[in-house]
Amino acid sequence: MQDTRALALTFEVSGLPPVKTEALSIFAAGHRQATRVRTLLQAACAAAQRTGWTPLTGPVEVDLTLRCPPGHRTSDASTLLGGVCAVLQDKKRVSTVGLSHLGVLVDVALYADDRQIRRLSYAEVPAEDFSYQIRVATVPTVV
């Protein structure tokens, strides 16, 4: 029987992605990235519901395309990718931080764990306003 789950999910988010720049969890209530985290979770939830996405358990690739006004880059690629990837994985692993403030968004996960990531890509494109596109996909296992 063939697996009919979606193998890739692409969605758009307005504004800037969350950045991961410090040891304090971006999931902590009141963190300065809280609005960006919530915005990304809401967009991922809507995309997952629209497509019937279920969290991937095998190898994945994550692509981030940041749209920003020329000369207005906000953070480096590694902190942007780190923030996005932290938000898109299963947050229940973050047992040291209370997550009740996220409500139902705590259950939004596109894959189980960052350890599944086999490919990452980051691109910037000029745009009038800040926004970004995320693509999460399975990586075929090659023997």
Side-chain angles (χ1 to χ4, degrees):
M1 180 182 281
Q2 183 177 352
D3 186 355
T4 58
R5 291 185 315 164
L7 299 178
L9 180 66
T10 303
F11 59 97
E12 306 282 330
V13 186
S14 295
L16 290 165
V19 295
K20 190 172 180 182
T21 60
E22 56 193 88
L24 178 65
S25 172
I26 62 175
F27 298 111
H31 191 280
R32 62 189 177 105
Q33 296 293 310
T35 301
R36 294 181 188 184
V37 167
R38 185 170 289 280
T39 299
L40 175 52
L41 286 172
Q42 289 167 336
C45 181
Q49 288 176 339
R50 187 173 52 252
T51 62
W53 184 266
T54 56
L56 299 174
T57 57
V60 299
E61 63 184 44
V62 178
D63 304 320
L64 169 62
T65 302
L66 177 67
R67 294 181 194 88
C68 59
H72 287 87
R73 186 174 196 200
T74 62
S75 296
D76 63 78
S78 64
T79 59
L80 292 165
L81 284 164
V84 166
C85 291
V87 171
L88 297 180
Q89 71 181 343
D90 184 351
K91 282 145 294 299
K92 292 177 185 153
R93 299 177 329 95
V94 185
S95 59
T96 60
V97 177
L99 300 174
S100 61
H101 62 282
L102 292 175
V104 297
L105 294 176
V106 74
D107 293 322
V108 176
L110 301 187
Y111 51 89
D113 188 281
D114 277 349
R115 292 183 193 112
Q116 294 169 247
I117 298 173
R118 298 298 182 268
R119 295 183 196 146
L120 279 172
S121 75
Y122 172 81
E124 280 184 27
V125 295
E128 196 169 305
D129 296 311
F130 287 104
S131 66
Y132 57 104
Q133 181 184 67
I134 302 283
R135 179 178 174 273
V136 175
T138 61
V139 174
T141 52
V142 179
V143 181

